[in-house]
């Protein structure tokens, strides 16, 4: 059993009834995929193939899930665990309102940006835990996160890349400080 499977078992103990469902063949996922394509004028076309999604107590996995490494799946599960905890904290209606209102906002969605930032901060911590702080500091990781916020991936939810860079810098400073405290 790999690290991702072990972590998934921990999550199942924390969240009764938690399940993983593949997006391929899932009616809800296909519907969301179509709606996102419409809302973003076709710019978001990888929802089913690249994005893992949480809805209530279900983690919906992309068609590429089984081809990902154990480390990649573990890092993704850590990100999604944040969303599960947010769902528990805010409730279904609160989370839905923060994430989706106004309906399909394009260009500025503060609630969605804050929800996703909390999860992407955990992604950075998970990358540092698995691959080291320098991996979390990589330009590829930074570019990926900035793109998530400023592109069609999440409906251009936060079109201020300098702010996203600032969030990343602040989180990396905390990660680095924490790593230094653990050194002998």
């Amino acid at each position: 059993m790999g690290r991702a499977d072990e972590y998934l078992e921990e999550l199942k103990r924390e969240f009764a009834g938690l399940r993983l469902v593949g997006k391929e063949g899932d009616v809800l996922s296909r519907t969301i995929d179509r709606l996102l394509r419409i809302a973003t004028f076709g710019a978001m076309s990888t929802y089913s193939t690249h994005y893992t999604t949480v809805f209530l107590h279900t983690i919906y996995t992309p068609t590429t899930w089984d081809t990902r490494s154990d480390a990649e799946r573990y890092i993704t599960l850590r990100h999604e665990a944040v969303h599960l905890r947010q769902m528990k904290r805010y409730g279904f209606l609160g989370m839905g309102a923060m994430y989706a209102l106004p309906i399909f906002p394009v260009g500025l969605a503060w609630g969605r940006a804050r929800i996703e930032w909390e999860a992407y901060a955990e992604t950075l911590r998970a990358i540092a835990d698995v691959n080291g702080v320098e991996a979390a500091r990589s330009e590829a990781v930074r570019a990926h996160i900035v793109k998530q916020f400023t592109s069609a991936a999440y409906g251009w939810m936060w079109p201020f890349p300098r702010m996203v860079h600032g969030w990343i810098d602040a989180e990396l400073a905390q990660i680095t400080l924490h790593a230094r405290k653990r050194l002998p």
Side-chain angles (χ1 to χ4, degrees), residues 70-83:
D70 180 64
E72 289 172 309
R73 288 192 313 270
Y74 171 73
I75 291 165
T76 299
L77 287 172
R78 293 235 336 233
H79 176 108
E80 299 307 330
V82 170
H83 293 316

Side-chain angles (χ1 to χ4, degrees), residues 106-180:
V106 174
L108 189 61
W110 176 252
R112 186 179 326 147
R114 292 314 301 167
I115 286 169
E116 286 302 334
W117 174 247
E118 191 177 331
Y120 276 102
E122 182 63 18
T123 296
L124 286 169
R125 290 188 291 272
I127 290 169
D129 290 347
V130 171
N131 300 316
V133 175
E134 288 309 310
R137 291 184 161 286
S138 78
E139 283 305 313
V141 167
R142 178 181 290 271
H144 172 75
I145 292 172
V146 170
K147 183 178 180 184
Q148 299 314 294
F149 282 81
T150 61
S151 74
Y154 291 89
W156 301 277
M157 69 180 158
W158 201 247
F160 308 110
R162 285 197 319 194
M163 285 185 77
V164 179
H165 282 287
W167 295 342
I168 293 169
D169 291 340
E171 189 60 38
L172 289 173
Q174 290 297 313
I175 290 168
T176 301
L177 182 64
H178 186 262
R180 286 184 183 144

Side-chain angles (χ1 to χ4, degrees), residues 40-141:
T40 63
F41 306 102
M44 174 42 156
S45 61
T46 57
Y47 172 80
S48 292
T49 57
H50 290 79
Y51 288 85
T52 307
T53 311
V54 165
F55 185 70
L56 298 173
H57 281 99
T58 304
I59 299 173
Y60 292 91
T61 59
T63 57
T64 57
W65 184 256
D66 291 334
T67 63
R68 293 180 181 184
S69 70
D70 180 64
E72 289 172 309
R73 288 192 313 270
Y74 171 73
I75 291 165
T76 299
L77 287 172
R78 293 235 336 233
H79 176 108
E80 299 307 330
V82 170
H83 293 316
L84 289 166
R85 292 179 187 113
Q86 289 167 332
M87 184 72 70
K88 190 180 211 178
R89 184 169 65 229
Y90 301 124
F92 173 71
L93 291 178
M95 184 81 162
M98 287 175 68
Y99 206 85
L101 292 177
I103 298 171
F104 296 111
V106 174
L108 189 61
W110 176 252
R112 186 179 326 147
R114 292 314 301 167
I115 286 169
E116 286 302 334
W117 174 247
E118 191 177 331
Y120 276 102
E122 182 63 18
T123 296
L124 286 169
R125 290 188 291 272
I127 290 169
D129 290 347
V130 171
N131 300 316
V133 175
E134 288 309 310
R137 291 184 161 286
S138 78
E139 283 305 313
V141 167

